[in-house]
Amino acid sequence: MLGDLSRVEKIYLRTGYTDMRKQLDGLIDIIQYSFRLDPYSNSLFLFCGKRADRIKAVHYEGDGFCLFYKRYENGRLKWPRTGEEARQISHQQLRWLLDRSSPGRSGNGIPQSPGNPKIPYKYWKILLFYGTMVPSEQEGFQPMPDIEQEYKKQIKELEQQIRLLKEQVDFLTRKLYGTKSEKTSALEIEGQMSLFNEMESCADPDAHEPDLVEVEKHLRKRKHAGQREKLIKDIPRSKVLHTIDEREQICEKCGSVMAKVGEEFVRTEVQFIPASLKVIDHYRETYECRTCRKNGTPYMEKSPVPHPPVMHSLASASTIAWLIHQKFELGIPLYRQEKEWEALGLSLGRATMSNWLLCVYRDWLSHVAGRLRQELLKQEYLHIDETHVQVLKEPGRKNTSDSYMWVYCSIKDCKQPVRYFEYQPGRGGKYPEAFLKGYAGYIHTDAYSGYNGVKGVTRCLCYTHLRRAFVDALPKDIHGTEASTPAEAVVRLNKLFEIEKELDGLDPEQKKKERINREKPLLEAFWSWAEINSAGELPKSKLHTAFQYALNNRQEFFNYLEDGNCSISNSLAENCIRPFVIGRKNWLFAGSPKGAAASAGIYTLVETAKANGLDAMKYIKYILSDMPGSRFLENPEYLDDYLPWDPMVQERCR
């Protein structure tokens, strides 16, 4: 310790004044870079403040640094002020500095013997110490707490934070510039996983021994006859015959008139005929009974006229159907359609088109969408997903707030599939709770906690989401050792999807048996492996998050084994909501809550029509042509005639 000067080989003081706010790291920098001395040597380094009433000393104790501090209550030190250099002093001169008095100064500016023994001072205190220290028994020394472990903990936390940030940067870079495919071949982990299944994946019992000389054959892609005819078989066609003018049907050799001997096929091409508009003026005839007129009781009758989809407007069923096709199937916003209509000869504003869509949804389409919801909730199996959408003019909310579009779908093998979209201002669990109130069945979802409050249902979680979590955990270097664990998880989950492809087409009972026999052992092995390998992973890392995603929802991932109609993936709901997501990139936001609700209802009809094999534009046109004027409000059963699986609808709208 400082009191035992025999252990100190050399003593240095810094001439001039030192900023007493500097702590241990700053003073060590002065020793190492300004003095060009070794701070780890058995030397004592002294520093004085500008007011000459405070001293700091640095000493390396062999297993850590000590920083000492002393302040005088009265008097000042006679410290050498010239220059900023390290000046060596003797042990005796150091003892005078440690004495209970204000030291004097010799002619060379080095502190000498005390001048006034009655001036009080503050004892030296050990401020910082790196390493393990035994408290000194010498009077005046008060060792401070050991903070080595605290610094080590802080360093470890910073290293973990750097690792997490680097992982996040790599993840976002891959999302921005990397491949979007989640296929194993695109991820290039097949070679990586040879560490685990090399013999199984490479074994081929039918492989033949190679010859001494084997020439690689050039394989040319075979052209299949009839492919072009399949593409154009449903398109009207006409024949164009190219002839020679009669005046030119003269033989160039002898001048005789030539005769036609046959014709030759040259090529087939598809001609594009641009859309065109036609104005239709509706008139109706009026009939009068002349006999009643002669008898003084005139009677007249007018012919019936179909009701328009929008009263007092130019809109027809075909016009509205084309608007819906452009916006909700092709994702073309209304402001772009303005230019197309103008090119066709009609100056049609986006506000007018928007009003037309709102009116037809309110008066006609909303009733069919509501009937589809009733049919959907009768089904025992559902797929559910949601995505955000920006809606303007929501009461009590900013325009930048996120609202959500929810989608509820029938399963793949349903005979009457429904795709129901619902707009809601939030993502809370209360929205699926309200929609599914009284429902009892299986729902396929992701692990979002908002579905936990839905009562009376059995949740089947999506293995595609689980696999995606491990794909996101793959590092930048896909062939490095850090990639082995997430890559193995991906390969294990791929085996489930391979078995599901083999089971596709089986009846539910047989599929259930095969799943229990073939897939359940794989699932149990995967979760046992996950429990072992999750230990020690960095908290909040992508891999740790993926393991927790699996371990925290084990039962929900196993629920699909209970019924052969259930699926291991919720990709069907994601595919259903994809047209909405693509359209959202173009039109960006909904102008009002009413507009968002109307969009949800129209998407319901369009996607349900496509799921039932219908042409969505023909289906919308059929509803808007036939439904206005019907008494469906008085007789709700009339709405069944407009459901997409109705035989008449199937006949007219394919």
Side-chain angles (χ1 to χ4, degrees):
M1 302 304 296
L2 187 59
D4 188 4
L5 298 180
S6 61
R7 295 170 53 187
V8 178
E9 296 179 359
K10 296 180 181 180
I11 304 171
Y12 297 91
L13 62 80
R14 185 194 189 196
T15 60
Y17 298 130
T18 304
D19 187 356
M20 288 289 101
R21 292 174 296 181
K22 289 185 179 294
Q23 298 301 316
L24 183 60
D25 292 338
L27 298 177
I28 291 177
D29 288 342
I30 294 175
I31 298 170
Q32 190 170 5
Y33 300 108
S34 298
F35 294 170
R36 301 293 181 180
L37 297 174
D38 184 10
Y40 294 93
S41 62
N42 189 17
S43 301
L44 183 67
F45 301 92
L46 303 174
F47 303 87
C48 181
K50 185 175 182 180
R51 297 170 60 182
D53 62 345
R54 303 179 185 186
I55 299 177
K56 283 187 176 181
V58 176
H59 182 239
Y60 183 68
E61 294 288 337
D63 55 357
F65 282 97
C66 272
L67 174 60
F68 303 94
Y69 173 81
K70 179 178 181 180
R71 180 168 66 89
Y72 287 87
E73 292 290 347
N74 298 302
R76 297 290 184 269
L77 290 170
K78 301 300 182 181
W79 201 265
R81 300 183 180 182
T82 58
E84 292 183 355
E85 60 181 0
R87 189 172 299 179
Q88 187 173 351
I89 62 175
S90 65
H91 288 70
Q92 183 60 40
Q93 291 170 329
L94 174 61
R95 294 230 176 248
W96 291 334
L97 286 175
L98 299 179
D99 198 271
R100 298 175 181 269
S101 61
S102 177
R105 188 180 69 171
S106 65
N108 60 1
I110 302 299
Q112 298 293 337
S113 59
N116 188 352
K118 295 183 179 180
I119 299 179
Y121 74 105
K122 284 286 185 184
Y123 291 154
W124 288 85
K125 294 182 179 179
I126 301 177
L127 299 180
L128 293 173
F129 186 82
Y130 284 82
T132 304
M133 183 183 70
V134 179
S136 172
E137 297 180 356
Q138 177 160 341
E139 181 183 7
F141 287 97
Q142 301 176 7
M144 299 295 288
D146 183 9
I147 61 170
E148 179 187 13
Q149 296 301 323
E150 181 180 349
Y151 272 87
K152 286 184 178 180
K153 180 180 178 182
Q154 184 177 2
I155 291 172
K156 184 178 180 180
E157 291 175 353
L158 292 175
E159 290 176 348
Q160 292 178 351
Q161 186 176 2
I162 292 172
R163 180 180 169 186
L164 291 175
L165 292 175
K166 184 177 181 300
E167 182 185 58
Q168 186 71 7
V169 170
D170 292 342
F171 170 74
L172 295 176
T173 303
R174 186 167 63 249
K175 285 293 183 183
L176 186 61
Y177 300 109
T179 177
K180 302 298 186 293
S181 175
E182 295 179 5
K183 293 183 179 179
T184 306
S185 57
L187 297 174
E188 300 180 357
I189 63 175
E190 291 178 337
Q192 159 74 15
M193 290 314 298
S194 61
L195 297 173
F196 306 99
N197 58 355
E198 181 178 10
M199 293 195 307
E200 292 84 351
S201 61
C202 298
D204 184 5
D206 299 328
H208 65 279
E209 292 293 331
D211 298 331
L212 293 177
V213 178
E214 185 171 320
V215 180
E216 182 181 358
K217 297 180 180 179
H218 174 68
L219 299 179
R220 178 173 295 174
K221 184 178 180 181
R222 171 182 285 184
K223 295 182 179 180
H224 299 280
Q227 287 185 346
R228 181 177 297 178
E229 289 299 322
K230 290 181 180 179
L231 294 176
I232 60 177
K233 64 183 180 70
D234 296 326
I235 301 177
R237 62 196 308 163
S238 61
K239 178 180 177 181
V240 177
L241 182 63
H242 302 275
T243 63
I244 301 176
D245 189 87
E246 293 183 358
R247 293 172 296 180
E248 298 179 359
Q249 296 178 6
I250 306 298
C251 179
E252 294 181 357
K253 292 185 177 180
C254 66
S256 302
V257 177
M258 294 187 295
K260 179 180 177 180
V261 295
E263 58 187 44
E264 176 190 9
F265 171 78
V266 180
R267 70 176 185 273
T268 299
E269 62 185 18
V270 177
Q271 183 182 18
F272 174 74
I273 303 175
S276 61
L277 299 179
K278 182 171 66 173
V279 177
I280 299 177
D281 297 323
H282 289 267
Y283 292 86
R284 62 180 177 181
E285 294 179 334
T286 304
Y287 294 85
E288 179 186 27
C289 178
R290 297 297 175 88
T291 303
C292 292
R293 181 180 179 182
K294 291 179 181 179
N295 296 332
T297 57
Y299 174 77
M300 303 179 70
E301 186 174 339
K302 297 181 179 181
S303 60
V305 179
H307 289 73
V310 181
M311 295 295 293
H312 311 296
S313 73
L314 296 174
S316 64
S318 61
T319 305
I320 302 296
W322 179 253
L323 284 178
I324 290 177
H325 168 70
Q326 293 277 85
K327 179 176 173 61
F328 295 94
E329 286 194 82
L330 304 184
I332 302 176
L334 296 181
Y335 76 90
R336 292 185 189 172
Q337 295 190 45
E338 278 184 336
K339 299 179 181 179
E340 184 176 356
W341 285 103
E342 187 175 355
L344 294 174
L346 178 62
S347 181
L348 191 61
R350 71 190 76 173
T352 302
M353 291 185 282
S354 179
N355 289 335
W356 287 357
L357 295 177
L358 290 174
C359 287
V360 297
Y361 174 73
R362 178 197 62 197
D363 296 338
W364 321 116
L365 302 183
S366 61
H367 302 282
V368 181
R371 186 70 184 87
L372 289 173
R373 173 177 177 172
Q374 296 175 4
E375 292 296 320
L376 178 67
L377 293 177
K378 294 178 182 179
Q379 300 175 7
E380 191 176 353
Y381 313 94
L382 297 180
H383 290 267
I384 308 176
D385 198 10
E386 78 286 336
T387 186
H388 65 88
V389 59
Q390 186 177 354
V391 180
L392 308 183
K393 302 177 184 178
E394 289 182 304
R397 305 186 72 196
K398 296 182 179 179
N399 287 338
T400 55
S401 302
D402 274 343
S403 300
Y404 283 84
M405 187 69 73
W406 297 74
V407 62
Y408 302 84
C409 307
S410 307
I411 59 174
K412 177 182 176 181
D413 299 326
C414 182
K415 295 181 180 179
Q416 297 178 348
V418 178
R419 310 288 186 255
Y420 190 84
F421 289 75
E422 183 184 50
Y423 152 74
Q424 291 294 352
R427 197 192 179 200
K430 61 182 179 180
Y431 301 113
E433 287 180 39
F435 186 89
L436 299 172
K437 185 176 181 181
Y439 176 80
Y442 292 87
I443 60 173
H444 299 79
T445 68
D446 53 25
Y448 172 50
S449 60
Y451 298 106
N452 294 338
V454 182
K455 306 298 182 182
V457 299
T458 302
R459 288 182 65 188
C460 300
L461 295 191
C462 175
Y463 278 85
T464 302
H465 282 78
L466 178 60
R467 182 183 181 277
R468 187 177 301 151
F470 285 101
V471 170
D472 292 342
L474 290 170
K476 185 177 182 181
D477 183 9
I478 201 67
H479 300 292
T481 56
E482 294 182 356
S484 60
T485 301
E488 183 178 358
V490 172
V491 172
R492 285 175 178 266
L493 294 173
N494 282 346
K495 293 180 181 178
L496 293 176
F497 288 95
E498 292 172 2
I499 296 175
E500 283 295 315
K501 287 183 180 179
E502 298 176 6
L503 302 182
D504 191 22
L506 297 180
D507 61 87
E509 287 299 324
Q510 185 65 26
K511 183 181 290 187
K512 178 181 177 180
K513 293 179 182 179
E514 291 293 327
R515 282 174 171 175
I516 293 177
N517 294 334
R518 301 177 60 182
E519 295 182 6
K520 189 174 181 180
L522 296 179
L523 296 177
E524 293 175 346
F526 173 81
W527 259 267
S528 299
W529 172 84
E531 289 177 356
I532 296 173
N533 287 269
S534 62
E537 290 298 332
L538 179 63
K540 298 183 180 180
S541 65
K542 295 292 183 183
L543 187 55
H544 179 268
T545 303
F547 276 126
Q548 294 304 309
Y549 189 90
L551 297 175
N552 293 340
N553 302 283
R554 174 170 179 166
Q555 182 57 49
E556 287 77 7
F557 277 111
F558 275 72
N559 283 341
Y560 83 99
L561 298 173
E562 299 178 3
D563 195 308
N565 289 298
C566 295
S567 174
I568 68 169
S569 174
N570 196 35
S571 297
L572 190 146
E574 291 187 347
N575 293 334
C576 289
I577 211 169
R578 184 171 288 114
F580 172 82
V581 175
I582 294 174
R584 183 185 60 195
K585 292 182 179 180
N586 294 324
W587 41 259
L588 300 179
F589 56 83
S592 66
K594 289 184 178 179
S599 296
I602 296 174
Y603 270 113
T604 297
L605 297 177
V606 169
E607 295 303 318
T608 302
K610 290 161 62 176
N612 285 271
L614 303 180
D615 184 321
M617 188 171 70
K618 291 182 179 179
Y619 178 56
I620 297 296
K621 181 180 177 182
Y622 173 78
I623 294 176
L624 297 180
S625 299
D626 191 75
M627 193 173 180
S630 64
R631 298 180 177 274
F632 64 90
L633 293 177
E634 301 173 3
N635 303 282
E637 63 273 11
Y638 287 180
L639 292 174
D640 293 346
D641 297 336
Y642 303 104
L643 297 179
W645 46 82
D646 181 80
M648 182 64 70
V649 175
Q650 286 284 323
E651 179 182 350
R652 294 189 177 185
C653 301
R654 281 190 174 273

